[in-house]
Amino acid sequence: MGRLKTIARRTFLIGSAAVAGGVAFGIYAYRKPVENPLLADLPPGAATLNPYVLIDAEGVTLITPRADVGQGAVSIQTYLLAEELDVDPATIRTDFGPASGAYYNGKVAAEGMPLAAWDDGLVARTGRGAGDVIAKFLGLHLTGGSTTVPDSYDKLRAAGASARETLKEAAAQRLGVDRTALRTEDGAVIAPDGTRITYADLATEAATLDPVEAALRDPADWRWLGKPMRRTDIVAKSTGTFRYGGDLVFDGMLHATVVTNPVMGAGLTSMDTGAALAMRGVAAVLPVTDGFAVLADNTWRAMKAARAVVPVWGTATTHAATTDEMWQAHADAMTEANRDSRFADDGDVDAAPGTPLAADYRAPFLHHAPLEPANATVTYTAERTDIWTATQIPTFIRDAVAGITGQDADQVHLHNLASGGSFGHRLEDIWVRQTAEIAMQRPGTPIRMTWSREQDMAHGFLRPMALARGRGTVDAGQVRSFDLSIAAHSVGESQLGRQGLPAAGPDVAIVAAAWDAPYALPDRRVTGYRVPAGVGVSSWRSVGASHNGFFHESLMDELIHAAGADPVEERLRLIHHAPTRQVLETVADMASWDGPLGDGRGRGVAVTFAFGVPCAQVIEVSQTDAGLRLDRLWLAAEVGRVLDPVNIESQLSGGALFGLGHAIGAEITFADHRPEQSNFHDYDSLRLWQVPQVEVRALGTTGEIRGAGEPGLPAAAPALANAIFAATGTRLREMPFAKTMVFA
Amino acid sequence: MRITVDGTPHELDIEADMPLLWLLRDELGIHGPKYGCGIAQCGACTVHLDGLAVRSCQITAGEADGAEITTIEGLGTPEALHPVQQAWIEEQVAQCGYCQSGQIMQAASLLVLNPNPTDDEIDAAMSGNLCRCASYPRIRAAIRRAIQAEGA
Ligand code: FES
Ligand code: FES
């Protein structure tokens, strides 16, 4: 046990090793209840019944440990708790809670394992269980992998139910009646004679009792879940009153901005700060890792003065100078020595009969670029450090900052905030570390640091560029064999490396949504090659599936065309997973599919399976005088039970449109070791005039409950490329498509 | 300089080249308008100057001297919503919400200039406002809803 614990703490097993290790060691520790982190900082007069429920004189505060990056996480977590606890979601307060292992995410670790989510066999189920064990053991307090709803669905309802029954037990003891004689309503326990005792009144007594376990309510009895919900943040976000990190004001606060070497990691040799220091409102120019910070009494003054600093940058480099050299490195990596995985290898693709077809595909580096630029506020004193920032990795940030300040983790207090978008960006933390470095040089002064858009755009950790080599054969009007090789940097290696953690095992992300695409062919192989580390890469909305959906469904479409078959019919013949067939049939129905059209109008189809969600899309385009126009987008997905139909639609459609915007127009390229893009004029995404009419259907008929933030993305780009082929005869094998095609 | 923001007059001693966005946010503490790009590419900073939508990151304090500014916080409040805000709430447009102050200000200005815009006119007027979350279908729906509510 002890040794495995050490190993597990040191190494995130991103591959199959986790399965064996996890099952063997975890069960005992896993069954132990987690400590309640709210006990440590309990305000006077407040009581806590479990890590999710805090009650004081003002009422109930629900702890919503998953970060809200715009996907509505706080709102849905609130409704999940409220449904069992019997409090009106509109009247209760929420808090992201402290950074704590108690809020481990049991679903996200399973996403890193090579277990196809459609595989319900014993090995796969055991492995997924092990993910939960590992996450709890490591205290993996993290938001990602479209896991918020799957992870919270049972946990938060159970927390609500247990708190409700424990409050009833406290009331029962006070009144001398049996708990079963009591009921609850709108934040109060109601006695048979109609006496109302509020939760606030009962909280302190309830906190002394052993938590009562309670069965979950039948979905048929739900009041809020399953129906369109009003997001709890919707009024604030529609009236400009919602507060993001950059809107916080603290007494005595200084505004700051940071500029680092445009070649990330190459360092600062010296700087001339004279002109900057003479400017109005400027308080200081301070060194930080890889660059400098300007402190002023206004963010614009800090940014203006930062342009007046004359830095001499270091010249060390950690990766190739140009995008072309990087493509070469990807091509060179497709060798046995760099082979990372071959999770799918059926039959013998090299001996498959039929007419061969070969095509290579490319996907570029992409930046997350959420609209809110990175920012953080840090106040440092020798006794404690406080951090206000929007993050998906609170415990990592707490520990990283403790490492910088030399304090113990429990002296570092993270106040998590909602974020103005993320798409994976808030899994990074370099700007928080920079702010901590500044704050240490100004003890006692709150430092609110905001990156300029230019600093943000040029210092991203990127969606990896990826190169795919596709091969296959067609025979007698059918697709016979399929062989896809994908070369990319490892996101797991890069991202965990930045947290000081080595990553072991193959990286499933390199081949995600390709190896486990639910297609059955007699000869089928998917191989991942790991390109040696270079540019820092990161989880970008739908991670590996964001490029592999395009690779897989483009190659499949080319083969189907070569076979002379129908793109929907032939896919249905090959797909072995019933829910995936069902979303494809549904979308064909929604679009009244009758083939790919042609002659200036085209329809393309694609179906992907990512994060446990099958998603099929049909896109219709037409050729106009101004260029290619996106007319319609139909999307069908199976996310399991639909808790909020409006938000599910927003997330699926948002994922697809986000994917299309980047597929059409965005890339990060390198010259002279640095990104060439600097702002939204040269890194754009979809604008309203480009948005097709969108129709979404979430089936909600079968299967486990799943998150919707990411699965809408992977099928969008290939559906568009396939539609463009149908309309124009031009096969687009490289994103962004605007490099080869004019769009209206 | 003098400036009236959301009905309140202010007198300020600041640099003439400070963008209106930062005057509002950091000098007056009005945080509804957002910084997204600083170069007129995203629209998150949109406010009304003498009744019309402008990118506040592109208007200097010198240019705004004497102007009447309305921000999202002055357009309507949670207690007294502007019809466009009401439509935005009913259509549940916001995801992360960071662009929405600007989207709403742009839409409100469009409907003042053109109370009955065509779909193409809506698309054209709104295309300077970037939504990275791609809440676009609901932006369209909310504008149509606001038009209907106004017309009714
Ligand atoms: S901040 Fe003004 S347009 Fe982007
Ligand atoms: S709602 Fe996030 S940028 Fe528009």
Side-chain angles (χ1 to χ4, degrees):
Chain A
M1 243 300 310
R3 192 178 68 86
L4 278 161
K5 179 172 171 176
T6 324
I7 292 171
R9 280 206 184 280
R10 269 194 291 113
T11 307
F12 274 82
L13 299 153
I14 55 178
S16 51
V19 179
V23 178
F25 80 79
I27 302 305
Y28 167 70
Y30 174 67
R31 294 242 168 91
K32 267 200 328 204
V34 292
E35 274 171 34
N36 185 343
L38 302 180
L39 289 168
D41 242 344
L42 210 56
T48 170
L49 304 180
N50 58 50
Y52 304 100
V53 180
L54 185 85
I55 299 176
D56 61 17
E58 313 271 291
V60 178
T61 299
L62 305 180
I63 307 300
T64 54
R66 295 294 161 255
D68 201 315
V69 294
Q71 82 286 40
V74 163
S75 192
I76 190 66
Q77 291 175 93
T78 303
Y79 279 96
L80 285 166
L81 268 163
E83 187 70 72
E84 291 287 348
L85 188 54
D86 288 336
V87 280
D88 179 355
T91 64
I92 53 191
R93 291 163 298 158
T94 63
D95 190 294
F96 288 109
S100 167
Y103 303 118
Y104 72 99
N105 185 334
K107 298 288 180 194
V108 81
E111 289 296 337
M113 298 178 194
L115 305 170
W118 43 258
D119 183 352
D120 214 24
L122 179 64
V123 175
R125 273 187 284 125
T126 315
R128 278 194 284 276
D132 197 65
V133 171
I134 292 167
K136 181 164 179 179
F137 213 68
L138 294 170
L140 200 54
H141 182 178
L142 187 143
T143 305
S146 288
T147 56
T148 294
V149 169
D151 182 64
S152 316
Y153 180 55
D154 288 339
K155 258 187 215 171
L156 295 191
R157 287 185 304 142
S162 163
R164 179 192 73 223
E165 291 306 311
T166 312
L167 287 158
K168 277 165 74 180
E169 181 59 32
Q173 292 187 9
R174 192 194 284 185
L175 300 170
V177 300
D178 195 80
R179 174 158 58 92
T180 53
L182 303 172
R183 60 189 184 86
T184 51
E185 186 186 277
D186 204 10
V189 177
I190 319 286
D193 65 359
T195 311
R196 257 180 87 86
I197 316 178
T198 65
Y199 288 175
D201 186 352
L202 290 164
T204 346
E205 283 158 73
T208 63
L209 304 174
D210 278 341
V212 180
E213 289 208 22
L216 296 179
R217 285 184 169 141
D218 185 329
D221 298 331
W222 284 346
R223 277 156 305 167
W224 297 297
L225 298 176
K227 307 174 185 91
M229 303 166 186
R230 174 165 286 199
R231 275 176 68 142
T232 52
D233 55 5
I234 200 71
V235 172
K237 283 179 173 176
S238 308
T239 51
T241 51
F242 194 85
R243 290 293 164 250
Y244 301 86
D247 304 331
L248 301 181
V249 175
F250 298 83
D251 281 346
M253 164 180 102
L254 279 175
H255 302 242
T257 199
V258 162
V259 176
T260 55
N261 195 319
V263 178
M264 225 197 286
L268 177 72
T269 307
S270 65
M271 58 178 167
D272 179 349
T273 60
L277 287 171
M279 291 167 76
R280 177 168 169 183
V282 173
V285 181
L286 302 173
V288 298
T289 299
D290 213 25
F292 61 88
V294 178
L295 277 55
D297 59 358
N298 167 310
T299 301
W300 172 74
R301 290 190 181 118
M303 287 182 184
K304 188 180 180 193
R307 290 193 292 273
V309 173
V310 186
V312 178
W313 297 120
T315 54
T317 55
T318 53
H319 56 71
T322 67
T323 307
D324 281 348
E325 290 170 51
M326 294 171 190
W327 282 125
Q328 191 56 51
H330 281 62
D332 293 346
M334 286 194 170
T335 65
E336 267 322 283
N338 292 302
R339 194 170 106 188
D340 191 65
S341 70
R342 185 169 279 164
F343 299 132
D345 192 6
D346 297 326
D348 182 356
V349 288
D350 295 321
T355 314
L357 180 147
D360 291 355
Y361 306 90
R362 285 175 171 193
F365 281 122
L366 293 173
H367 190 8
H368 311 93
L371 196 55
E372 177 194 24
N375 64 78
T377 302
V378 177
T379 307
Y380 164 84
T381 64
E383 296 73 39
R384 70 179 268 156
T385 298
D386 286 274
I387 307 164
W388 291 263
T389 199
T391 179
Q392 295 170 246
I393 50 166
T395 44
F396 286 105
I397 288 197
R398 178 198 61 198
D399 295 349
V401 168
I404 291 167
T405 60
Q407 291 167 314
D408 293 334
D410 61 8
Q411 292 173 283
V412 177
H413 300 262
L414 178 81
H415 313 271
N416 205 356
L417 307 170
S419 159
S422 170
F423 319 118
H425 192 250
R426 274 36 168 176
L427 289 162
E428 302 296 339
D429 63 5
I430 187 169
W431 55 92
V432 186
R433 298 177 192 226
Q434 291 166 349
T435 312
E437 288 183 25
I438 302 167
M440 277 193 76
Q441 299 177 66
R442 281 288 183 283
T445 303
I447 304 293
R448 196 184 81 196
M449 197 289 290
T450 308
W451 271 3
S452 69
R453 173 58 58 192
E454 288 76 12
Q455 167 72 20
D456 196 307
M457 193 63 82
H459 297 85
F461 295 101
L462 306 176
R463 195 287 298 273
M465 66 195 290
L467 176 67
R469 186 162 293 164
R471 302 285 182 269
T473 59
V474 298
D475 195 24
Q478 296 186 334
V479 180
R480 169 57 208 253
S481 70
F482 186 96
D483 182 17
L484 188 62
S485 300
I486 301 151
H489 294 307
S490 164
V491 165
E493 177 190 335
S494 188
Q495 216 160 15
L496 293 170
R498 285 193 285 285
Q499 300 298 343
L501 297 161
D507 185 351
V508 185
I510 294 175
V511 290
W515 83 272
D516 53 346
Y519 285 83
L521 293 94
D523 306 290
R524 180 175 178 276
R525 183 168 75 177
V526 176
T527 313
Y529 295 98
R530 189 184 295 212
V531 181
V535 171
V537 290
S538 176
S539 300
W540 186 90
R541 198 171 189 173
S542 84
V543 203
S546 71
H547 45 78
N548 292 337
F550 171 62
F551 298 157
H552 191 283
E553 286 301 280
S554 295
L555 175 62
M556 189 56 78
D557 214 66
E558 294 209 46
L559 288 164
I560 292 171
H561 179 76
D566 177 81
V568 170
E569 290 307 315
E570 181 65 355
R571 281 181 173 84
L572 286 173
R573 187 183 72 80
L574 293 169
I575 291 167
H576 61 72
H577 179 235
T580 305
R581 271 203 311 277
Q582 211 188 339
V583 297
L584 184 52
E585 280 163 354
T586 304
V587 87
D589 224 42
M590 289 163 69
S592 310
W593 176 267
D594 57 358
L597 307 177
D599 210 14
R601 274 175 74 216
R603 280 181 168 194
V605 64
V607 58
T608 53
F609 184 81
F611 304 93
V613 176
C615 176
Q617 300 184 31
V618 170
I619 290 179
E620 184 176 315
V621 300
S622 55
Q623 189 63 272
T624 71
D625 291 344
L628 209 76
R629 193 180 64 208
L630 279 60
D631 296 316
R632 305 284 301 265
L633 163 65
W634 295 271
L635 182 156
E638 179 55 275
V639 292
R641 187 186 286 282
V642 173
L643 293 181
D644 177 357
V646 172
N647 194 43
I648 290 267
E649 188 203 294
S650 289
Q651 288 305 307
L652 289 169
S653 130
L657 296 175
F658 185 79
L660 288 178
H662 292 84
I664 292 171
E667 62 177 333
I668 296 288
T669 55
F670 284 81
D672 197 15
H673 302 278
R674 64 196 74 192
E676 295 186 283
Q677 290 70 25
S678 63
N679 205 317
F680 291 123
H681 67 292
D682 52 12
Y683 189 81
D684 206 358
S685 54
L686 223 54
R687 300 283 178 161
L688 190 65
W689 57 272
Q690 299 169 297
V691 175
Q693 207 180 312
V694 181
E695 205 180 307
V696 170
R697 198 171 300 168
L699 274 51
T701 45
T702 56
E704 227 181 298
I705 196 155
R706 297 286 184 177
E710 300 177 273
L713 192 142
L720 175 59
N722 297 341
I724 290 172
F725 176 73
T728 66
T730 303
R731 181 58 75 176
L732 298 179
R733 299 194 179 94
E734 179 171 5
M735 298 193 280
F737 302 148
K739 278 171 102 162
T740 34
M741 185 69 51
V742 178
F743 285 81
Chain B
M1 70 159 304
R2 288 163 200 277
I3 191 166
T4 303
V5 182
D6 298 334
T8 308
H10 299 272
E11 214 176 311
L12 295 152
D13 165 29
I14 54 160
E15 304 90 311
D17 64 338
M18 183 184 292
L20 175 59
L21 171 64
W22 296 107
L23 180 165
L24 294 170
R25 289 182 56 81
D26 285 2
E27 300 299 313
L28 299 181
I30 298 167
H31 291 105
K34 300 294 181 217
Y35 166 66
C37 71
I39 60 163
Q41 291 295 310
C42 76
C45 64
T46 304
V47 300
H48 294 175
L49 184 146
D50 297 336
L52 288 186
V54 294
R55 307 291 181 237
S56 66
C57 68
Q58 297 302 303
I59 305 285
T60 62
E63 290 162 343
D65 197 354
E68 289 246 6
I69 304 296
T70 306
T71 74
I72 182 77
E73 297 181 44
L75 185 73
T77 61
E79 296 73 35
L81 296 165
H82 183 274
V84 172
Q85 291 172 317
Q86 182 74 49
W88 241 253
I89 290 168
E90 268 151 33
E91 290 294 336
Q92 297 267 308
V93 178
Q95 292 187 30
C96 84
Y98 199 78
C99 72
Q100 302 296 351
S101 298
Q103 305 277 7
I104 289 168
M105 295 309 283
Q106 186 69 31
S109 174
L110 164 67
L111 297 189
V112 168
L113 291 175
N114 182 356
N116 218 337
T118 63
D119 289 353
D120 284 349
E121 286 169 342
I122 293 174
D123 282 2
M126 300 301 296
S127 280
N129 289 73
L130 181 62
C131 178
R132 291 285 294 166
C133 301
S135 65
Y136 296 120
R138 287 182 183 276
I139 289 177
R140 275 188 186 141
I143 293 176
R144 291 198 193 104
R145 182 187 277 266
I147 293 167
Q148 274 178 1
E150 294 280 73

